[in-house]
Structures are given as C-alpha cells and as structure tokens.
Amino acid sequence: MYACVQRRERLSILLDTLSERHSEEKSYKQNRSNAMLLLYIFINLVGSLVAFDITIENYTVPVSGKCILTCYIAEVRSFKVLWQKIDRINQGGNQTFDEQQEQLTLIAFDGTVYSNKDHYRLESDYVGSYNLIIDRVNEDDQGEYQCQINTEPRKTKRIFLTVQVPPRIVDFRPNPPLISIRSGISLTLLCRAEGTPLPHIRWRIRDIDMNRIDSLPPENSNIWFISAVTTNFPHTVECIADNGVLPASNRIFTISVEIPPIVMINNDLIQSQLYQNVTLDCSILSRPLARIYWEKNGQIIDDSKMTSTQINQTLSINQLKVQINDDDDFGKYNCIAENIHGRKEAFVYLL
C-alpha cells in the first residue's frame, strides 16, 4: 500500500515538471517572436530616418563630355550605397516604355567600382555625397541610372541621362562625289542624318551666280527630287544637318548635267576666190566635251588644218582654215561633233 502511494507521488511530480518545461518553451518562443518583430520595426524605423534625396532628375550632356550624377545621403550609417544602370530593350513591335525588358548592370557598390568601363568613378568630396562621375561620355552611356541604399524597404534615386550627339550624314544609297546625268532625266539627292536630338536638314546652292530659293526642296526635307534636270540646274549644292550640337555636318553634291552636241554655224554660205585663205567657224555646245572634226565629200579633213578653243565646260569654238588652190576646194564642208550622248553636224558652203 505504501509503495503504491509513492509511485503516485512520483508520477505527479513528473507531470508537474513537464508542464513547467512546456510553459517555459512556449514563453521563450513568444519572447523570441516579439524580439524579431521589434528588430524588424527598428530596422524599418532606422531606414526611414535616413535622409535620402529620391528626386527624379534628367541630365543632358554632349558626347565626349563629363557628367556628374549626384546622390546625397545625409547619414549612411551602416547601410551600403549602390549604383546601377538600367537599359531597356525593345523586343519588337510597338512596346511602351514600361513593357520593354530591363537589363541591370552593376556599376559600383559600397565605394568600389565594379564596372569594366574605365570612365566610371566615384566621388565623395563632401560628407553625404556619393556621386557617380562619367568621363568621356559616349552614346552607350545614355539611359537610366539608379542610386540605391539598402534600407528596408530600399530607397532609390532615378537619373535619366541623355547624351547629345552631333549630326552625321549617313545614306544607305550614297551618291558619288560627282554626279553625271543627262539633261531631261530625273535626279534624286539624298541627305539622311543621325544624331541626338534629331538633326534638322536644309539645302543650299553653292554656285556664286545662282541664288534661286524657289528651286530648293521643302524645309527639313532629306530628299531633293528633280523630275527633269536641265542645264540650268546648279552645278554645286550642299545639304547641312544641324541639331544644335557642334559641329554641324554637311555634304556637297557636284552635278554635271550632260547634253548631246549642238552644232551652230554663224555663216553657212561663204563666197571666195581661187588662191584665197578662208576660215570656217563652228560653235559646239556639249557636255561632256565633244570630239570635233570636219568632212568634205565624206572624207575627214586632217586635224592640223583646224584649231579649237574651249570657252567653258560646255562651249567650244572650232575653226577650219581652207586654202583654195583649185576648184575642188569649193563646195560643202561638214562640221561634226560627237560625244557619248549623240552625234550632230552642220554644214558650210564655200562658193
């Protein structure tokens, strides 16, 4: 009987001990949970107290220039500062800005530059400044930059950088330096330009003796179309691309309007006598310059008997000296001009 009572007492003590341990474990877990909650609240409170300028800014800088992206944090404490660049990739179609895929590139973290571009560096010239400096800015540097501090939640300052690029003229179908075209044929001059901002195109006639504004194409047109070019068209024209970023870009077109020969005789009937020397004149308009020669009775006359004077790139005057020694020297003389566009002749009668 006594032994049974002792076993009951021991069992009661064991149950009380287990109950106390369970209560202690439950209290420990509750205290730990409360501590974690307090720590989370503290971290958020501390992070929210960090003075951080999160104003969205826009920077514009010319290519090859220097740019300072500013980031100011009053008290960084134990937090870390990060710089990164965001490139948005258009995967085709009419995607909006927010629909484009983002590509993140780490530039610097906790005072160390990790980018493989050697023109990035950090600057902390005064307390609280965590500026990113970009030397020798190039076109690829354009985009969005973010300065972040790893508070909870993170704080981010966004900076959008626009790189101004001088205009450059690029044509998918480049025109040759010298354009030779036959009169009456259509002519198209191309002047496409790239740059940031988009360049403005204007045309100018460079010929000193021509200043016909009415013949120029519309303002800011990169195509000058002439349905039928004539010999009155300017010899030299220029297109200029300008977007306000120096230097402007230009392209010069030299146009040679070609024509088949035109032969003109001032006096097609000349009277003479035996043993006289007579000069026959013949004027030729042509481009390119024509080959000029004389014929009589289907026979080409020796070049040594004629002289040719070039007045300009189109007009030349040819003279044939005839010594009348017998009756065979009288008759019909043909002045003939030939170039790649045709053949023309006119005649003089020597009586």
Side-chain angles (χ1 to χ4, degrees):
M1 182 70 178
Y2 177 74
C4 183
V5 171
Q6 283 185 328
R7 284 197 297 271
R8 288 179 180 177
E9 289 178 352
R10 290 174 184 171
L11 181 60
S12 177
I13 293 171
L14 179 60
L15 290 174
D16 290 342
T17 302
L18 291 175
S19 177
E20 288 177 1
R21 288 183 178 178
H22 178 72
S23 297
E24 289 176 357
E25 289 179 0
K26 185 176 181 180
S27 176
Y28 172 77
K29 291 181 179 180
Q30 183 65 39
N31 291 336
R32 183 179 178 184
S33 177
N34 292 338
M36 293 295 292
L37 178 61
L38 289 174
L39 179 61
Y40 178 79
I41 294 173
F42 175 76
I43 291 174
N44 278 270
L45 180 61
V46 172
S48 64
L49 293 176
V50 175
F52 184 44
D53 178 18
I54 59 173
T55 305
I56 297 177
E57 296 183 348
N58 293 283
Y59 287 63
T60 300
V61 62
V63 69
S64 300
K66 175 182 176 181
C67 181
I68 302 177
L69 307 182
T70 60
C71 184
Y72 178 77
I73 306 172
E75 293 183 42
V76 71
R77 300 179 186 177
S78 61
F79 297 108
K80 308 298 182 183
V81 179
L82 171 146
W83 274 100
Q84 64 182 359
K85 184 175 185 289
I86 298 181
D87 293 306
R88 287 179 167 80
I89 303 173
N90 193 330
Q91 296 180 321
N94 298 323
Q95 291 183 323
T96 63
F97 181 81
D98 294 330
E99 292 174 342
Q100 295 176 358
Q101 181 180 354
E102 291 186 354
Q103 179 178 318
L104 302 179
T105 303
L106 175 66
I107 298 176
F109 179 73
D110 195 23
T112 302
V113 176
Y114 291 95
S115 173
N116 57 5
K117 295 184 177 180
D118 60 359
H119 63 307
Y120 286 144
R121 57 189 174 94
L122 298 175
E123 177 188 64
S124 297
D125 57 350
Y126 57 88
V127 176
S129 69
Y130 295 86
N131 301 336
L132 176 66
I133 298 180
I134 308 176
D135 296 308
R136 306 179 308 280
V137 173
N138 57 54
E139 295 179 57
D140 294 335
D141 294 323
Q142 179 166 297
E144 179 183 349
Y145 291 80
Q146 291 185 353
C147 176
Q148 285 188 354
I149 184 169
N150 63 338
T151 56
E152 185 61 42
R154 289 179 180 270
K155 291 187 175 183
T156 302
K157 177 176 182 177
R158 303 172 69 191
I159 299 176
F160 293 90
L161 176 63
T162 299
V163 179
Q164 292 183 326
V165 181
R168 57 177 177 267
I169 295 175
V170 289
D171 283 329
F172 300 107
R173 295 184 301 165
N175 297 105
L178 175 63
I179 302 173
S180 297
I181 185 170
R182 181 169 178 171
S183 177
I185 303 298
S186 64
L187 173 64
T188 301
L189 302 178
L190 303 176
C191 186
R192 296 188 178 94
E194 295 178 348
T196 306
L198 189 66
H200 180 88
I201 303 293
R202 63 185 178 91
W203 294 83
R204 186 167 73 95
I205 297 174
R206 291 173 59 95
D207 295 19
I208 297 176
D209 58 344
M210 291 187 178
N211 192 23
R212 300 169 303 176
I213 303 301
D214 58 330
S215 64
L216 294 174
E219 188 72 14
N220 202 27
S221 173
N222 57 15
I223 298 178
W224 188 350
F225 176 74
I226 304 95
S227 58
V229 68
T230 68
T231 54
N232 292 327
F233 191 79
H235 179 62
T236 308
V237 298
E238 176 184 24
C239 78
I240 302 170
D242 188 6
N243 64 354
V245 184
L246 296 177
S249 181
N250 72 321
R251 185 172 190 182
I252 297 175
F253 300 86
T254 303
I255 299 100
S256 175
V257 181
E258 299 182 346
I259 56 174
I262 300 174
V263 181
M264 298 169 289
I265 301 292
N266 292 330
N267 188 1
D268 59 359
L269 189 62
I270 299 176
Q271 292 186 346
S272 183
Q273 297 177 358
L274 283 171
Y275 311 115
Q276 280 188 338
N277 293 328
V278 180
T279 300
L280 309 182
D281 293 328
C282 178
S283 299
I284 298 93
L285 288 172
S286 66
R287 187 180 292 175
L289 290 174
R291 171 179 175 255
I292 305 170
Y293 57 97
W294 291 80
E295 283 186 357
K296 185 176 188 300
N297 298 328
Q299 299 295 319
I300 297 177
I301 300 174
D302 193 293
D303 290 348
S304 62
K305 295 182 179 181
M306 67 179 189
T307 59
S308 185
T309 304
Q310 183 177 335
I311 306 302
N312 52 40
Q313 293 182 341
T314 304
L315 175 63
S316 59
I317 298 176
N318 192 278
Q319 294 180 323
L320 176 66
K321 298 184 182 298
V322 179
Q323 184 176 2
I324 304 176
N325 295 321
D326 54 43
D327 291 340
D328 291 338
D329 294 325
F330 293 101
K332 180 181 177 182
Y333 288 80
N334 290 57
C335 177
I336 304 170
E338 294 179 346
N339 68 7
I340 59 174
H341 298 297
R343 179 181 184 275
K344 197 72 174 178
E345 64 180 284
F347 54 85
V348 179
Y349 281 100
L350 186 58
L351 302 178

